[in-house]
Amino acid sequence: MDLRSGIISTAESLGISPFDLATVISYETAGTFDPTKRGPVTQFGQHRGFIQFGEPQARQHGVDWSDPLRSQLGPDGAVASYLRSSGLKPGMGLLDLYSTINAGAPGLYNRSDANNGGAPGTVADKVRNQMSGHMANAQRLLGGEFTPSFSSPQ
């Protein structure tokens, strides 16, 4: 599995847009798509990976840091496992996808993780104001085959 096919198969297994998933992975990895990208250290330890798993979440959902791409992506990978267990449902768009990653569940658009080392702003602010460059990264990775969900922040 390569990065592109892994993102597509993960998104398809969740019933969400591959474009949206690639966008949030680009955002969470600072545009690198690095499966081991390190983020802040919080009460959950060192965050890293495609969606910035905390250490307990990485263990719970099966991230294998010796095989980070394959263990995080695919229908049974850690990203799909985390998103499913956190309430993401088929058909949900970018806003709920990012809410699930950033705030722990869909629908938490006014939450912020700035106190844990995240970028300033709410989930809605980040989707509305900080993801356009990451949408371009997703488009480059996926090509014109996939499009955004067009869910707009409230």
Side-chain angles (χ1 to χ4, degrees), residues 5 7 9 12 15 19-20 24 29-30 46 51 62 64-65 80 89 92 94 113 116-117 122 131 133 141 147 154:
S5 67
I7 288 174
S9 68
E12 288 176 347
F19 183 90
D20 292 347
V24 298
T29 63
Q46 176 69 60
I51 61 170
D64 176 355
W65 295 114
K89 301 287 184 225
M92 287 184 166
L94 180 60
D113 67 346
N116 277 333
T122 65
M131 291 201 184
L141 177 69
T147 57
Q154 305 299 324

Side-chain angles (χ1 to χ4, degrees), residues 66-152:
S66 68
D67 191 3
L69 189 130
R70 289 181 194 273
S71 66
Q72 289 181 76
L73 296 180
D76 300 314
V79 170
S81 173
Y82 172 80
L83 292 171
R84 272 189 208 102
S85 72
S86 298
L88 190 74
K89 301 287 184 225
M92 287 184 166
L94 180 60
L95 189 58
D96 281 310
L97 172 60
Y98 193 63
S99 176
T100 306
I101 291 168
N102 186 257
L108 303 175
Y109 312 136
N110 291 320
R111 297 275 176 92
S112 175
D113 67 346
N115 64 329
N116 277 333
T122 65
V123 166
D125 293 335
K126 291 174 186 181
V127 170
R128 187 177 24 246
N129 302 323
Q130 299 175 24
M131 291 201 184
S132 62
H134 300 287
M135 289 177 178
N137 288 345
Q139 191 67 45
R140 278 191 293 278
L141 177 69
L142 298 173
E145 185 179 349
F146 299 101
T147 57
S149 64
F150 297 109
S151 64
S152 59

Side-chain angles (χ1 to χ4, degrees), residues 30-61:
T32 67
F33 292 102
D34 177 352
T36 62
K37 179 73 175 172
R38 290 180 181 271
V41 175
T42 71
Q43 68 270 28
F44 300 112
Q46 176 69 60
H47 286 249
R48 59 184 169 154
F50 286 132
I51 61 170
Q52 293 299 295
F53 289 102
E55 291 172 21
Q57 293 81 13
R59 279 190 302 278
Q60 177 184 354
H61 295 286

